[in-house]
Amino acid sequence: MDGVRAALRERLAGLLAVLEAGLVERRQVLRASLLAALAGEHTLLIGPPGTAKSALARRIHLAFRDARYFERLLTRFTVPEELFGPLSIRALEEDRYERHVAGFLPDAAVAFIDEVFKANSAILNALLTLLNEREFDNGAGRLRCPLISVVGATNQVPEDEVAEAFFDRFLLRLTVVPVSAEGFRRLLGEDRPAAPEALAPPSALQLDEDDLAALARAAAGCALPAEVLDRLAELRAWLAGRGGYVSDRRWVKLAHLLRVAAASEGRAAASEWDLGLVPHCVTADEPARLAVAEWLAARLGIREAWSPPRITRVVEAFEAQLATEREARDLDYDEAGRLRFSAIDPAAAQAGDLAGAIGDAKGGSAALRMSTARMRRYGSLHIGARTAQLDGVLARLAAYRGEAGAQ
């Protein structure tokens, strides 16, 4: 099994190197979409027009050998024939209601559906079974479809019952935004994206049904460690406390996605770091995704107890304490342990002594006064306690750095 995992990981690395060529700020979206396809799940790309959503889908298609591809832009005027094929005239003559599906969505392995929520409810309802069950009702029979993954695209998600059910069919919801100012220069320069047809990977790198089956077997053997399950349980409770609902079916699919992520990298178990996929699976919009991502960041690599701001506060507290102790002054004691007092001495006053410098018209200068204070001295026990605190902090930081480095 280890050899199979290693070979698959090497092929996937080579495949990604080809598919990512020329992409500008779309590497993460491509990898997540491909991972969803490897897990047999669907991806929804949410973003404005002209942000390379269709180009990403075409690159996903190139990852699979001899895979039929289907692409369609939906509008409110789209009819079922545009997605599922025209009605068979011969079948109608024989009183059968069947479609010619060759070359249409039921016949595709990878599909891109743009503006997925623009279609009417009849089309969306027909798509529900196709996406979830990989089956299509054609007349009196039900066809088994070769569908691997659908990449959908939309500008926004409408709020109605049918759209919500269809929205739930996409395990990964990825936000796609225009390139940044830095990426804009690359987009127009030498690194501009190449046409997908010019990026076809060698056949030896492409994946087929046997590869997907092997990956599924490897994923089935991957474990979800206790720390991963604990984090998912904590997140489920946290979401419920905020009024968020995630179906049991989606949690099961998410667990499978984590196992596929581990298997695709040749690992025998998922890691807490794989949970970076979770915000894209359990949220419906960008603000909610950012909130879950922040929740996870406080519990994963950047821990709540050792986040950079907290480390800064610890250092500042020690520095403030050190300054206080350095500047602290103590009263002057004599050899018997009693406070040392001095009387007014004209000579001392001329010399600038504190007691001699004080005088008044009522003769108060003759009173005894405490002599000048001196710098406080600290014993070995006090200094040892302070350095032990610092040693403890440094040891914990070193352990954290070691753990982060290993991950």
Side-chain angles (χ1 to χ4, degrees):
M1 181 63 73
D2 290 340
V4 173
R5 288 197 184 105
L8 183 58
R9 177 180 182 177
E10 185 176 348
R11 283 181 61 195
L12 286 173
L15 182 61
L16 285 170
V18 176
L19 296 180
E20 292 172 0
L23 279 181
V24 179
E25 298 180 357
R26 295 292 181 266
R27 178 175 178 267
Q28 181 180 2
V29 178
L30 174 71
R31 289 187 168 224
S33 301
L34 180 58
L35 179 61
L38 295 178
E41 297 296 340
H42 311 296
T43 301
L44 181 65
L45 305 180
I46 306 172
T51 49
K53 297 188 291 293
S54 60
L56 288 168
R58 293 172 192 139
R59 293 189 185 222
I60 296 299
H61 162 242
L62 293 175
F64 301 97
R65 188 184 306 128
D66 299 327
R68 289 183 291 274
Y69 179 70
F70 178 82
E71 181 176 323
R72 189 71 77 237
L73 169 65
L74 303 187
T75 70
R76 56 186 178 143
F77 303 109
T78 300
V79 294
E81 284 75 13
E82 295 181 53
L83 273 79
F84 310 119
L87 291 172
S88 169
I89 302 300
R90 178 173 297 179
L92 287 175
E93 292 175 349
E94 300 174 359
D95 295 330
R96 291 182 290 109
Y97 191 86
E98 295 179 357
R99 296 184 182 276
H100 288 295
V101 298
F104 291 87
L105 182 56
D107 189 44
V110 177
F112 174 65
I113 305 178
D114 201 1
E115 297 297 347
V116 291
F117 296 103
K118 290 289 181 68
N120 56 54
S121 58
I123 291 178
L124 293 181
N125 282 325
L127 285 171
L128 288 176
T129 302
L130 181 60
L131 267 63
N132 199 48
E133 307 294 338
R134 266 62 171 190
E135 294 180 341
F136 175 68
D137 291 323
N138 193 16
R142 177 168 278 199
L143 297 177
R144 186 66 184 171
C145 302
L147 188 64
I148 296 173
S149 181
V150 168
V151 178
T154 184
N155 295 336
Q156 59 182 2
V157 180
E159 297 181 359
D160 61 72
E161 186 175 349
V162 175
E164 183 176 350
F166 187 59
F167 182 62
D168 190 58
R169 292 301 187 270
F170 295 94
L171 180 61
L172 276 176
R173 294 94 174 244
L174 304 174
T175 300
V176 184
V177 298
V179 298
S180 64
E182 180 183 352
F184 181 73
R185 293 180 178 275
R186 294 172 51 205
L187 184 67
L188 303 183
E190 296 179 357
D191 293 336
R192 61 186 180 275
E197 55 270 15
L199 298 170
S203 178
L205 290 178
Q206 290 178 310
L207 306 172
D208 57 21
E209 293 182 1
D210 293 337
D211 297 317
L212 293 177
L215 179 60
R217 289 192 296 271
C222 287
L224 289 183
E227 57 268 22
V228 173
L229 294 174
D230 290 343
R231 288 287 176 263
L232 291 176
E234 290 174 19
L235 177 58
R236 184 172 184 259
W238 183 78
L239 288 171
R242 294 167 59 94
Y245 171 73
V246 180
S247 66
D248 291 344
R249 175 179 61 190
R250 180 165 287 271
W251 286 114
V252 171
K253 287 178 175 289
L254 173 56
H256 177 61
L257 184 69
L258 296 178
R259 290 187 174 95
V260 172
S264 66
E265 291 192 336
R267 291 182 275 122
S271 162
E272 281 188 295
W273 298 88
D274 293 321
L275 295 176
L277 294 163
V278 171
H280 302 291
C281 300
V282 300
T283 57
D285 53 45
E286 187 64 8
R289 186 195 68 79
L290 292 175
V292 173
E294 184 178 354
W295 183 91
L296 277 173
R299 289 158 177 80
L300 298 180
I302 301 176
R303 293 200 181 144
E304 205 166 35
W306 284 114
S307 63
R310 179 179 174 85
I311 296 173
T312 301
R313 290 195 298 270
V314 169
V315 172
E316 290 174 347
F318 273 109
E319 289 178 341
Q321 183 65 28
L322 177 61
T324 299
E325 294 182 355
R326 279 178 171 173
E327 297 170 3
R329 294 182 178 274
D330 208 348
L331 296 174
D332 193 12
Y333 295 89
D334 60 19
E335 291 76 6
R338 294 172 299 187
L339 286 173
R340 190 187 304 277
F341 288 88
S342 301
I344 294 299
D345 182 358
Q350 290 181 355
D353 182 82
L354 178 62
I358 298 176
D360 56 45
K362 296 182 179 181
S365 60
L368 294 176
R369 298 179 182 276
M370 290 181 289
S371 63
T372 306
R374 63 183 178 183
M375 293 295 295
R376 183 176 296 175
R377 297 292 183 265
Y378 296 98
S380 59
L381 290 178
H382 180 90
I383 296 173
R386 279 281 181 261
T387 56
Q389 284 182 307
L390 289 172
D391 289 340
V393 172
L394 293 174
R396 293 175 64 184
L397 281 173
Y400 169 72
R401 288 182 59 190
E403 179 185 342
Q407 291 289 354

